[in-house]
Amino acid sequence: MTKNVPAPAPRPLRAALVALGGSLVIAACGGGGNDGPVFPIIPPAPAPAPAPAPAPAPQPSPLGTLDGSVPLVIGHRGLPGLFPEETQKAYEAAADAGADSLETDLHLTKDCVLVARHNPWLSDNTNVADVAKTNATVAGRKRTVPGVLVDVKYPPVADNGPPQYLSDLTDPKDPKSVLKSLIVDGEDHTNDWSITDFTMGELKQWIAGTTYDAADQRPTELNGKLPILSFQEVIDIAKAKSKSTGRALTIYPETKNPIWNNAQAIANGCGVAGSHPLEDALLKIMAANDLNRKDAPIFVQSFEPESLKYLRTAGLKARAVQLVDGNAIDFKTGEMIYVTNDVYTFVDGRPYSWTLAGNPKWFGEMLTPAGLAEVKTYADGIGPWKPQVMAHTIVPFKDKGTLADVNTIKPTALIADAHKAGLIVHSYTFRNEAKYLAGVFKGDPVAEYLAYFRAGIDGVFSDFANTAFAARQAYLKETGR
Protein backbone atom coordinates (compact mmCIF):
# COMPACT_ATOMS: atom_id res chain seq x y z
CA MET A 1 0.00 0.00 0.00
CA THR A 2 1.42 3.31 -0.83
CA LYS A 3 2.05 5.73 1.90
CA ASN A 4 0.70 9.19 1.42
CA VAL A 5 3.22 11.89 2.22
CA PRO A 6 1.99 15.43 2.39
CA ALA A 7 3.60 17.83 -0.16
CA PRO A 8 6.07 20.26 1.30
CA ALA A 9 5.03 23.84 1.64
CA PRO A 10 6.19 25.97 -1.31
CA ARG A 11 9.22 28.11 -0.77
CA PRO A 12 8.58 31.80 -0.78
CA LEU A 13 10.63 32.49 -3.96
CA ARG A 14 9.11 29.64 -5.89
CA ALA A 15 5.68 30.73 -4.82
CA ALA A 16 6.32 34.20 -6.02
CA LEU A 17 7.51 33.04 -9.42
CA VAL A 18 4.72 30.57 -9.85
CA ALA A 19 2.37 33.38 -9.18
CA LEU A 20 3.70 35.04 -12.32
CA GLY A 21 1.76 32.46 -14.31
CA GLY A 22 4.78 30.73 -15.83
CA SER A 23 5.99 33.69 -17.68
CA LEU A 24 9.54 32.95 -16.55
CA VAL A 25 11.40 29.61 -16.61
CA ILE A 26 12.61 28.32 -13.16
CA ALA A 27 15.96 26.45 -12.99
CA ALA A 28 17.78 24.85 -10.02
CA CYS A 29 21.36 25.76 -9.31
CA GLY A 30 23.83 24.25 -6.85
CA GLY A 31 23.65 20.64 -5.58
CA GLY A 32 20.69 19.71 -7.71
CA GLY A 33 18.40 19.01 -4.80
CA ASN A 34 15.11 20.70 -4.19
CA ASP A 35 16.67 22.64 -1.38
CA GLY A 36 19.15 24.62 -3.58
CA PRO A 37 18.52 28.25 -4.55
CA VAL A 38 16.69 28.93 -7.78
CA PHE A 39 16.96 31.99 -10.03
CA PRO A 40 14.85 33.26 -12.91
CA ILE A 41 16.32 33.15 -16.40
CA ILE A 42 15.29 36.29 -18.23
CA PRO A 43 14.82 35.70 -21.97
CA PRO A 44 16.41 38.07 -24.51
CA ALA A 45 14.45 41.12 -25.47
CA PRO A 46 12.29 40.55 -28.49
CA ALA A 47 13.82 41.63 -31.81
CA PRO A 48 12.82 45.16 -32.73
CA ALA A 49 10.07 45.47 -35.29
CA PRO A 50 11.48 45.96 -38.79
CA ALA A 51 11.68 49.56 -39.89
CA PRO A 52 8.89 50.48 -42.23
CA ALA A 53 9.87 50.32 -45.90
CA PRO A 54 10.69 53.76 -47.29
CA ALA A 55 7.86 55.36 -49.20
CA PRO A 56 8.32 55.00 -52.95
CA ALA A 57 9.83 58.05 -54.59
CA PRO A 58 7.18 60.21 -56.23
CA GLN A 59 6.93 59.48 -59.93
CA PRO A 60 7.39 62.38 -62.35
CA SER A 61 4.16 63.52 -63.88
CA PRO A 62 3.89 62.52 -67.55
CA LEU A 63 4.80 65.03 -70.22
CA GLY A 64 2.18 66.00 -72.75
CA THR A 65 4.34 65.56 -75.84
CA LEU A 66 3.36 63.06 -78.51
CA ASP A 67 5.76 60.36 -77.30
CA GLY A 68 6.28 61.60 -73.74
CA SER A 69 9.76 62.91 -74.50
CA VAL A 70 11.23 66.23 -73.40
CA PRO A 71 10.13 69.08 -75.71
CA LEU A 72 12.79 70.33 -78.12
CA VAL A 73 14.50 73.69 -77.98
CA ILE A 74 15.04 74.71 -81.61
CA GLY A 75 17.60 77.45 -82.17
CA HIS A 76 15.68 79.54 -84.71
CA ARG A 77 18.37 80.85 -87.09
CA GLY A 78 20.86 80.08 -84.34
CA LEU A 79 20.73 82.52 -81.44
CA PRO A 80 19.74 85.72 -83.27
CA GLY A 81 18.61 87.41 -80.09
CA LEU A 82 22.28 87.94 -79.29
CA PHE A 83 24.19 87.53 -82.58
CA PRO A 84 23.63 88.22 -86.30
CA GLU A 85 21.26 85.52 -87.49
CA GLU A 86 22.34 82.41 -89.39
CA THR A 87 26.04 83.03 -88.82
CA GLN A 88 28.60 80.69 -87.32
CA LYS A 89 28.63 82.63 -84.05
CA ALA A 90 24.83 82.45 -83.79
CA TYR A 91 24.74 78.70 -84.37
CA GLU A 92 27.62 77.88 -82.05
CA ALA A 93 26.11 80.05 -79.32
CA ALA A 94 22.75 78.32 -79.70
CA ALA A 95 24.37 74.91 -79.26
CA ASP A 96 26.31 76.12 -76.23
CA ALA A 97 23.12 77.56 -74.73
CA GLY A 98 21.39 74.17 -74.82
CA ALA A 99 19.53 74.15 -78.14
CA ASP A 100 18.71 70.66 -79.38
CA SER A 101 18.36 71.72 -83.02
CA LEU A 102 19.83 74.37 -85.33
CA GLU A 103 17.24 75.86 -87.67
CA THR A 104 18.07 77.47 -90.99
CA ASP A 105 16.42 78.81 -94.14
CA LEU A 106 17.68 77.61 -97.52
CA HIS A 107 18.01 79.33 -100.89
CA LEU A 108 20.03 78.50 -104.00
CA THR A 109 22.84 80.80 -105.07
CA LYS A 110 23.56 81.72 -108.66
CA ASP A 111 25.98 78.79 -108.86
CA CYS A 112 23.43 76.35 -107.41
CA VAL A 113 24.78 76.11 -103.83
CA LEU A 114 22.43 75.88 -100.85
CA VAL A 115 22.93 78.97 -98.71
CA ALA A 116 21.65 79.75 -95.20
CA ARG A 117 19.78 83.06 -95.23
CA HIS A 118 16.34 84.01 -94.02
CA ASN A 119 15.07 86.19 -96.85
CA PRO A 120 16.08 86.03 -100.51
CA TRP A 121 16.17 89.83 -100.67
CA LEU A 122 19.32 90.92 -98.90
CA SER A 123 18.87 94.44 -97.58
CA ASP A 124 17.12 93.50 -94.33
CA ASN A 125 19.44 90.74 -93.06
CA THR A 126 22.82 91.62 -94.56
CA ASN A 127 25.03 94.68 -95.01
CA VAL A 128 24.54 94.68 -98.81
CA ALA A 129 23.32 98.30 -98.95
CA ASP A 130 26.48 99.53 -97.23
CA VAL A 131 28.67 97.36 -99.47
CA ALA A 132 26.95 98.74 -102.57
CA LYS A 133 28.09 102.26 -101.65
CA THR A 134 31.67 101.35 -102.47
CA ASN A 135 31.31 98.24 -104.64
CA ALA A 136 30.05 99.06 -108.11
CA THR A 137 29.52 95.40 -109.01
CA VAL A 138 27.20 94.89 -106.06
CA ALA A 139 25.44 98.19 -106.68
CA GLY A 140 24.79 97.19 -110.29
CA ARG A 141 22.97 94.02 -109.28
CA LYS A 142 20.08 95.77 -107.62
CA ARG A 143 16.83 94.62 -109.22
CA THR A 144 14.76 97.55 -110.41
CA VAL A 145 12.25 96.13 -112.92
CA PRO A 146 8.72 96.21 -111.48
CA GLY A 147 6.58 93.09 -111.42
CA VAL A 148 3.33 92.54 -113.27
CA LEU A 149 -0.16 92.01 -111.90
CA VAL A 150 -1.87 88.68 -112.59
CA ASP A 151 -5.54 87.85 -112.07
CA VAL A 152 -6.31 85.15 -109.51
CA LYS A 153 -7.86 81.96 -110.86
CA TYR A 154 -10.36 81.51 -108.05
CA PRO A 155 -13.48 83.70 -107.70
CA PRO A 156 -12.24 87.30 -107.18
CA VAL A 157 -14.51 88.02 -104.23
CA ALA A 158 -13.59 89.86 -101.03
CA ASP A 159 -13.65 86.67 -98.96
CA ASN A 160 -10.81 85.31 -101.08
CA GLY A 161 -8.58 88.37 -100.79
CA PRO A 162 -7.25 90.69 -103.52
CA PRO A 163 -8.28 89.85 -107.10
CA GLN A 164 -4.71 90.18 -108.42
CA TYR A 165 -1.20 89.35 -107.27
CA LEU A 166 2.24 90.44 -108.40
CA SER A 167 4.46 88.16 -110.45
CA ASP A 168 8.12 88.38 -111.45
CA LEU A 169 7.43 86.60 -114.74
CA THR A 170 7.32 89.89 -116.62
CA ASP A 171 7.52 88.12 -119.98
CA PRO A 172 5.52 84.86 -120.01
CA LYS A 173 7.41 83.81 -123.13
CA ASP A 174 10.79 84.15 -121.40
CA PRO A 175 11.33 82.09 -118.23
CA LYS A 176 14.57 83.99 -117.58
CA SER A 177 12.65 87.24 -117.17
CA VAL A 178 12.19 86.26 -113.50
CA LEU A 179 15.81 87.33 -112.97
CA LYS A 180 14.96 90.99 -113.57
CA SER A 181 12.27 91.69 -110.98
CA LEU A 182 12.30 90.88 -107.29
CA ILE A 183 8.79 89.69 -106.51
CA VAL A 184 8.79 86.79 -104.05
CA ASP A 185 5.51 84.86 -103.68
CA GLY A 186 3.61 88.02 -104.57
CA GLU A 187 5.64 90.26 -102.25
CA ASP A 188 7.28 93.26 -103.92
CA HIS A 189 10.98 93.90 -103.19
CA THR A 190 11.85 96.06 -106.16
CA ASN A 191 15.07 98.05 -105.65
CA ASP A 192 16.66 95.35 -103.52
CA TRP A 193 19.24 92.65 -104.13
CA SER A 194 18.43 88.99 -104.77
CA ILE A 195 20.51 86.24 -103.21
CA THR A 196 20.19 84.35 -106.50
CA ASP A 197 22.30 86.97 -108.31
CA PHE A 198 25.43 86.06 -106.32
CA THR A 199 27.60 82.97 -106.28
CA MET A 200 28.50 81.44 -102.93
CA GLY A 201 32.01 82.80 -103.32
CA GLU A 202 30.73 86.32 -103.97
CA LEU A 203 28.46 86.20 -100.96
CA LYS A 204 31.43 85.13 -98.84
CA GLN A 205 33.67 87.81 -100.30
CA TRP A 206 31.39 90.80 -100.22
CA ILE A 207 28.38 90.36 -97.94
CA ALA A 208 27.93 89.57 -94.24
CA GLY A 209 24.99 88.91 -91.96
CA THR A 210 23.15 91.24 -89.59
CA THR A 211 20.34 91.08 -87.04
CA TYR A 212 16.81 91.20 -88.41
CA ASP A 213 13.89 90.87 -85.98
CA ALA A 214 13.89 93.53 -83.24
CA ALA A 215 17.01 94.93 -84.87
CA ASP A 216 16.61 98.15 -82.88
CA GLN A 217 16.79 96.25 -79.57
CA ARG A 218 19.38 93.54 -80.21
CA PRO A 219 23.18 93.76 -80.15
CA THR A 220 24.61 95.19 -83.37
CA GLU A 221 28.37 95.28 -82.81
CA LEU A 222 28.89 92.18 -84.98
CA ASN A 223 26.65 93.30 -87.83
CA GLY A 224 28.50 93.07 -91.14
CA LYS A 225 31.42 91.19 -89.58
CA LEU A 226 30.29 87.56 -89.84
CA PRO A 227 30.16 85.84 -93.24
CA ILE A 228 27.14 84.17 -94.78
CA LEU A 229 27.18 80.38 -94.47
CA SER A 230 26.48 77.58 -96.89
CA PHE A 231 24.15 74.85 -95.70
CA GLN A 232 27.08 72.45 -95.55
CA GLU A 233 28.77 74.77 -93.06
CA VAL A 234 25.68 74.66 -90.84
CA ILE A 235 25.76 70.86 -90.99
CA ASP A 236 29.45 70.92 -90.07
CA ILE A 237 28.76 73.18 -87.07
CA ALA A 238 26.06 70.81 -85.84
CA LYS A 239 28.41 67.84 -86.19
CA ALA A 240 31.24 69.60 -84.38
CA LYS A 241 29.02 70.77 -81.55
CA SER A 242 27.47 67.33 -81.20
CA LYS A 243 30.95 65.95 -80.68
CA SER A 244 32.17 68.63 -78.29
CA THR A 245 29.02 68.76 -76.15
CA GLY A 246 28.18 65.07 -76.18
CA ARG A 247 24.65 65.91 -77.32
CA ALA A 248 23.25 64.78 -80.66
CA LEU A 249 22.17 68.06 -82.23
CA THR A 250 19.73 67.99 -85.11
CA ILE A 251 19.51 70.45 -87.98
CA TYR A 252 16.24 71.93 -89.15
CA PRO A 253 16.43 73.27 -92.74
CA GLU A 254 13.53 75.01 -94.47
CA THR A 255 12.95 74.99 -98.21
CA LYS A 256 12.24 78.71 -98.37
CA ASN A 257 10.02 80.18 -101.10
CA PRO A 258 10.49 76.99 -103.15
CA ILE A 259 8.39 78.03 -106.14
CA TRP A 260 10.34 81.27 -106.47
CA ASN A 261 13.68 79.58 -105.78
CA ASN A 262 13.08 76.89 -108.38
CA ALA A 263 12.13 79.42 -111.05
CA GLN A 264 15.23 81.45 -110.24
CA ALA A 265 17.45 78.36 -110.24
CA ILE A 266 16.13 77.11 -113.56
CA ALA A 267 16.73 80.55 -115.08
CA ASN A 268 20.29 80.39 -113.66
CA GLY A 269 20.87 77.00 -115.28
CA CYS A 270 20.60 74.89 -112.12
CA GLY A 271 17.88 72.70 -113.58
CA VAL A 272 15.64 72.13 -116.57
CA ALA A 273 12.12 73.44 -117.02
CA GLY A 274 9.69 71.79 -114.63
CA SER A 275 12.40 70.50 -112.30
CA HIS A 276 12.91 71.17 -108.59
CA PRO A 277 16.53 72.31 -108.18
CA LEU A 278 16.05 73.50 -104.58
CA GLU A 279 14.64 70.23 -103.30
CA ASP A 280 17.01 68.14 -105.42
CA ALA A 281 20.00 70.02 -103.99
CA LEU A 282 18.70 69.37 -100.49
CA LEU A 283 18.30 65.65 -101.11
CA LYS A 284 21.81 65.49 -102.59
CA ILE A 285 23.48 67.17 -99.62
CA MET A 286 21.46 65.06 -97.19
CA ALA A 287 22.65 61.89 -98.90
CA ALA A 288 26.25 63.11 -98.84
CA ASN A 289 26.01 63.64 -95.07
CA ASP A 290 24.07 60.43 -94.28
CA LEU A 291 21.01 62.45 -93.29
CA ASN A 292 18.35 60.82 -95.44
CA ARG A 293 17.21 58.28 -92.87
CA LYS A 294 14.07 58.15 -90.75
CA ASP A 295 16.15 58.45 -87.61
CA ALA A 296 18.65 60.95 -89.00
CA PRO A 297 19.31 64.09 -86.91
CA ILE A 298 17.33 66.35 -89.23
CA PHE A 299 13.85 67.82 -89.69
CA VAL A 300 12.96 69.20 -93.13
CA GLN A 301 10.39 71.99 -92.98
CA SER A 302 8.43 74.11 -95.42
CA PHE A 303 5.37 76.34 -95.59
CA GLU A 304 4.82 74.94 -99.07
CA PRO A 305 3.09 71.54 -99.05
CA GLU A 306 4.02 70.92 -102.67
CA SER A 307 7.69 71.14 -101.73
CA LEU A 308 7.38 68.49 -99.02
CA LYS A 309 5.23 66.28 -101.23
CA TYR A 310 7.80 66.46 -104.01
CA LEU A 311 10.58 65.60 -101.58
CA ARG A 312 8.69 62.48 -100.48
CA THR A 313 8.15 61.31 -104.02
CA ALA A 314 11.81 62.02 -104.80
CA GLY A 315 13.02 59.82 -101.96
CA LEU A 316 12.98 61.83 -98.71
CA LYS A 317 13.07 59.38 -95.78
CA ALA A 318 13.88 61.82 -92.97
CA ARG A 319 11.33 63.58 -90.81
CA ALA A 320 9.38 66.45 -92.35
CA VAL A 321 7.32 69.26 -90.80
CA GLN A 322 4.57 71.25 -92.49
CA LEU A 323 4.75 74.88 -91.38
CA VAL A 324 1.45 76.74 -91.05
CA ASP A 325 1.07 80.51 -91.21
CA GLY A 326 -1.57 83.14 -90.51
CA ASN A 327 -1.93 86.90 -90.72
CA ALA A 328 -3.54 88.21 -87.56
CA ILE A 329 -5.65 87.34 -84.52
CA ASP A 330 -9.26 88.13 -83.72
CA PHE A 331 -8.75 89.09 -80.08
CA LYS A 332 -12.47 88.74 -79.40
CA THR A 333 -12.65 85.04 -80.31
CA GLY A 334 -9.00 84.04 -80.45
CA GLU A 335 -9.48 82.78 -84.00
CA MET A 336 -6.99 83.27 -86.80
CA ILE A 337 -7.38 85.85 -89.53
CA TYR A 338 -6.06 84.62 -92.86
CA VAL A 339 -7.58 86.86 -95.53
CA THR A 340 -6.35 90.44 -95.79
CA ASN A 341 -6.81 93.15 -98.36
CA ASP A 342 -3.12 93.32 -99.19
CA VAL A 343 -0.25 91.18 -100.41
CA TYR A 344 -0.04 89.24 -97.16
CA THR A 345 -3.00 87.18 -98.28
CA PHE A 346 -0.57 85.55 -100.71
CA VAL A 347 2.43 85.58 -98.38
CA ASP A 348 0.92 84.36 -95.10
CA GLY A 349 -2.71 83.53 -95.78
CA ARG A 350 -2.29 80.46 -97.99
CA PRO A 351 0.53 78.46 -99.58
CA TYR A 352 1.66 80.21 -102.74
CA SER A 353 1.10 77.05 -104.78
CA TRP A 354 -2.59 77.25 -103.85
CA THR A 355 -2.81 80.78 -105.26
CA LEU A 356 -1.19 79.65 -108.51
CA ALA A 357 -3.51 76.64 -108.73
CA GLY A 358 -6.64 78.68 -108.10
CA ASN A 359 -7.29 77.17 -104.68
CA PRO A 360 -8.90 79.82 -102.45
CA LYS A 361 -8.53 77.89 -99.18
CA TRP A 362 -6.42 79.12 -96.29
CA PHE A 363 -3.62 77.73 -94.15
CA GLY A 364 -6.27 77.08 -91.51
CA GLU A 365 -7.58 74.19 -93.60
CA MET A 366 -4.46 72.26 -92.63
CA LEU A 367 -5.36 72.49 -88.95
CA THR A 368 -8.73 70.79 -89.16
CA PRO A 369 -8.87 67.04 -88.38
CA ALA A 370 -9.21 66.34 -92.12
CA GLY A 371 -6.34 68.68 -92.92
CA LEU A 372 -4.11 67.09 -90.30
CA ALA A 373 -4.87 63.66 -91.74
CA GLU A 374 -3.76 64.95 -95.15
CA VAL A 375 -0.55 66.38 -93.69
CA LYS A 376 0.18 63.01 -92.08
CA THR A 377 0.40 61.43 -95.54
CA TYR A 378 3.63 63.32 -96.29
CA ALA A 379 4.91 64.83 -93.02
CA ASP A 380 5.66 63.87 -89.44
CA GLY A 381 4.61 67.09 -87.79
CA ILE A 382 3.27 70.61 -88.07
CA GLY A 383 4.87 73.94 -87.26
CA PRO A 384 2.04 76.36 -86.42
CA TRP A 385 2.17 80.00 -85.38
CA LYS A 386 1.88 80.41 -81.60
CA PRO A 387 -1.69 81.78 -81.50
CA GLN A 388 -2.89 78.79 -83.50
CA VAL A 389 -1.81 76.65 -80.54
CA MET A 390 -2.91 78.98 -77.76
CA ALA A 391 -5.95 81.22 -78.29
CA HIS A 392 -5.16 84.86 -77.43
CA THR A 393 -8.14 86.93 -76.29
CA ILE A 394 -8.93 90.20 -74.55
CA VAL A 395 -11.56 89.77 -71.83
CA PRO A 396 -13.64 91.88 -71.65
CA PHE A 397 -13.09 92.61 -75.29
CA LYS A 398 -12.15 96.08 -76.40
CA ASP A 399 -11.99 97.28 -79.95
CA LYS A 400 -8.56 98.05 -81.44
CA GLY A 401 -6.84 95.98 -78.78
CA THR A 402 -3.27 94.84 -79.35
CA LEU A 403 -1.11 91.91 -78.29
CA ALA A 404 -0.17 93.90 -75.21
CA ASP A 405 -3.84 93.91 -74.18
CA VAL A 406 -4.24 90.13 -74.38
CA ASN A 407 -5.08 88.99 -70.85
CA THR A 408 -6.39 85.49 -71.48
CA ILE A 409 -4.75 82.50 -73.14
CA LYS A 410 -6.19 79.05 -73.54
CA PRO A 411 -5.01 76.00 -75.48
CA THR A 412 -6.91 75.38 -78.68
CA ALA A 413 -7.70 71.83 -79.77
CA LEU A 414 -4.69 71.80 -82.09
CA ILE A 415 -2.14 69.91 -79.98
CA ALA A 416 -4.68 67.25 -79.04
CA ASP A 417 -5.91 66.94 -82.64
CA ALA A 418 -2.37 66.78 -84.05
CA HIS A 419 -1.26 64.19 -81.51
CA LYS A 420 -4.36 62.14 -82.29
CA ALA A 421 -3.27 62.21 -85.94
CA GLY A 422 0.24 61.11 -84.93
CA LEU A 423 1.86 64.48 -85.67
CA ILE A 424 4.37 66.37 -83.53
CA VAL A 425 3.80 70.10 -82.95
CA HIS A 426 6.71 72.57 -83.09
CA SER A 427 5.49 76.15 -82.70
CA TYR A 428 7.12 79.47 -83.70
CA THR A 429 8.58 81.99 -82.88
CA PHE A 430 9.43 82.61 -79.23
CA ARG A 431 11.27 85.85 -78.53
CA ASN A 432 12.22 87.76 -75.38
CA GLU A 433 11.30 91.28 -76.42
CA ALA A 434 8.17 92.66 -74.79
CA LYS A 435 6.59 93.62 -78.10
CA TYR A 436 6.36 89.94 -79.04
CA LEU A 437 4.74 88.86 -75.76
CA ALA A 438 1.03 88.78 -74.96
CA GLY A 439 0.16 91.12 -72.10
CA VAL A 440 -0.86 88.21 -69.88
CA PHE A 441 2.81 87.22 -69.58
CA LYS A 442 3.72 90.62 -68.09
CA GLY A 443 6.94 90.88 -70.07
CA ASP A 444 8.27 87.53 -68.84
CA PRO A 445 9.27 85.24 -71.75
CA VAL A 446 9.69 82.26 -69.40
CA ALA A 447 6.00 82.50 -68.50
CA GLU A 448 5.14 82.14 -72.19
CA TYR A 449 7.31 79.07 -72.65
CA LEU A 450 5.82 77.44 -69.55
CA ALA A 451 2.28 77.92 -70.87
CA TYR A 452 3.17 76.08 -74.09
CA PHE A 453 5.20 73.35 -72.36
CA ARG A 454 2.30 72.68 -69.99
CA ALA A 455 -0.05 72.47 -72.97
CA GLY A 456 2.01 69.59 -74.42
CA ILE A 457 3.99 71.31 -77.17
CA ASP A 458 6.64 69.03 -78.71
CA GLY A 459 9.11 71.79 -79.50
CA VAL A 460 9.61 75.55 -79.68
CA PHE A 461 11.38 77.66 -82.27
CA SER A 462 13.25 80.28 -80.26
CA ASP A 463 15.41 83.32 -81.03
CA PHE A 464 16.81 82.98 -77.51
CA ALA A 465 17.84 79.37 -76.99
CA ASN A 466 19.33 80.31 -73.62
CA THR A 467 15.96 81.49 -72.31
CA ALA A 468 14.11 78.56 -73.85
CA PHE A 469 16.52 76.11 -72.20
CA ALA A 470 16.12 77.77 -68.79
CA ALA A 471 12.33 77.73 -69.13
CA ARG A 472 12.38 74.06 -70.05
CA GLN A 473 14.52 73.30 -67.01
CA ALA A 474 11.95 75.04 -64.83
CA TYR A 475 9.17 73.07 -66.50
CA LEU A 476 10.95 69.73 -66.03
CA LYS A 477 11.54 70.56 -62.37
CA GLU A 478 7.87 71.24 -61.77
CA THR A 479 7.03 67.86 -63.36
CA GLY A 480 9.36 66.11 -60.92
CA ARG A 481 12.38 65.64 -63.19
Side-chain angles (χ1 to χ4, degrees), residues 396-432:
F397 177 70
K398 68 175 184 180
D399 196 20
K400 297 182 180 180
T402 67
L403 185 63
D405 298 310
V406 170
N407 55 14
T408 305
I409 59 166
K410 181 181 179 181
T412 66
L414 182 56
I415 291 178
D417 288 346
H419 285 178
K420 186 176 180 181
L423 295 166
I424 55 175
V425 183
H426 295 165
S427 191
Y428 68 89
T429 302
F430 291 76
R431 300 181 169 110
N432 285 12

Side-chain angles (χ1 to χ4, degrees), residues 208-220:
T210 63
T211 57
Y212 176 52
D213 294 293
D216 59 334
Q217 299 180 51
R218 296 181 178 181
T220 59

Side-chain angles (χ1 to χ4, degrees), residues 376-465:
K376 181 62 178 174
T377 64
Y378 62 87
D380 302 275
I382 56 171
W385 186 26
K386 290 184 299 185
Q388 292 167 325
V389 176
M390 196 79 69
H392 289 49
T393 54
I394 300 171
V395 182
F397 177 70
K398 68 175 184 180
D399 196 20
K400 297 182 180 180
T402 67
L403 185 63
D405 298 310
V406 170
N407 55 14
T408 305
I409 59 166
K410 181 181 179 181
T412 66
L414 182 56
I415 291 178
D417 288 346
H419 285 178
K420 186 176 180 181
L423 295 166
I424 55 175
V425 183
H426 295 165
S427 191
Y428 68 89
T429 302
F430 291 76
R431 300 181 169 110
N432 285 12
E433 291 86 6
K435 67 178 181 179
Y436 298 120
L437 294 169
V440 68
F441 299 122
K442 302 185 185 302
D444 180 9
V446 172
E448 182 183 43
Y449 287 108
L450 289 175
Y452 283 80
F453 288 146
R454 291 165 182 159
I457 202 78
D458 298 281
V460 292
F461 291 89
S462 174
D463 279 9
F464 293 83

